[in-house]
Amino acid sequence: MRSSMFQLLRSGSASRASLLRRGYSSGAVPERKVAVLGAAGGIGQPLSLLMKLNPLVSKLALYDIAGTPGVAADVSHINTRSEIAGYAGEDQLGQALEGSDVVIIPAGVPRKPGMTRDDLFNINAGIVKSLCTAIAKYCPNALVNMISNPVNSTVPIAAEVFKKAGTYDEKKLFGVTTLDVVRAKTFYAGKAKVPVEEVNVPVVGGHAGITILPLFSQATPKANLPDEDIKALTKRTQDGGTEVVEAKAGKGSATLSMAYAGALFADACLKGLNGVPDVVECSFVQSSITELPFFASKVKLGKNGVDEVFGLGPLSDYEKQGLESLIPELKASIEKGIKFANQS
């Protein structure tokens, strides 16, 4: 997918004006406010930069516990359409959220070498719960893009918080799994020796380890890779986060590629809200395509969020086996999130 925000980097003012008009019969781009919660962090800062470059954003609210006024001042100097405001501290969270069309949540701690996703859960679950409580109060109709890990548990936490508040709409809550798709496309293109911008690979399941299931049998263009290559590509896609954590040797996790993936998905949400037809991305959403209440698959985005959740399509024997293996682990992660939200 080639997103307008990245074309913008290479465009002059004339082509920027045409970008703003593209896809809208009225010739005018709707006003859209996007809030980034955790904007001063490792993912939040590059994500804020990328959202500033997106011509579909008219207002960009950057929120974090501290440090956001500096990030906002820095990003505000970029000569693009959106107005920037920085908010710091819990007392300013409501202002950051009010009127938001899309809320992106990269808040929380990143994974460090040796950390399990359970370790992440123990810290990030409480952060997500408090942020979602505020979303339910200040912008209950916003599309919520959950990046905070472990997504397999934080999305169910958000759903439970919204249910308690009486604001839950399953069409508006998304776990952002786009980085799995980005990695699968990149790794497949390298192995198949095809241009990466032409590649498409659906990734289903969840967003951690073996719950990530790239469907290379459905990849386009078709490359007929041998079984051992498919297995290696699958494992590399599943372990992509660990690969980056280890390469950074304790100095961070996949912040830059995650920011890119988060910006791609937010762009798709904005296009859907604005009525652009046939916007399809993979995302971890409430779903009935498997026995699990949440599952990542291809989703059509529209004016109310989720327009349609697509089935898995034909799977290879290897993928069927992968699906069977991931179900118990994903089920446990979902239940863990639900239990946390209802106990604490």
Side-chain angles (χ1 to χ4, degrees), residues 31-37 47 51 54 56-62 96-106 135 139-147 172 174 176 262-274 301-305:
E31 298 283 308
R32 294 290 180 199
K33 178 178 174 180
V34 174
V36 179
L37 309 185
L47 177 59
M51 295 317 296
N54 191 319
L56 303 181
V57 180
S58 57
K59 284 188 178 172
L60 185 58
L62 307 183
L97 290 171
E98 275 174 346
S100 294
D101 296 287
V102 177
V103 179
I104 314 172
I105 311 180
I135 290 167
C139 56
N141 296 314
L143 303 191
V144 177
N145 293 2
M146 185 69 69
I147 290 173
K172 298 189 179 215
F174 302 89
V176 180
L264 279 183
F265 189 75
D267 182 65
C269 285
L270 290 164
K271 284 175 176 165
L273 285 174
N274 291 349
L301 297 159
K303 292 186 177 181
N304 297 305

Side-chain angles (χ1 to χ4, degrees), residues 111-123:
R111 195 152 60 102
K112 295 184 173 69
M115 267 180 98
T116 65
R117 284 186 164 82
D118 276 347
D119 297 330
L120 272 185
F121 178 91
N122 294 332
I123 301 166

Side-chain angles (χ1 to χ4, degrees), residues 3-5 8 50-57 82 263 266-267 270:
S3 174
S4 53
M5 78 186 81
L8 182 65
L50 291 171
M51 295 317 296
K52 178 70 172 112
L53 299 179
N54 191 319
L56 303 181
V57 180
S82 51
D267 182 65
L270 290 164

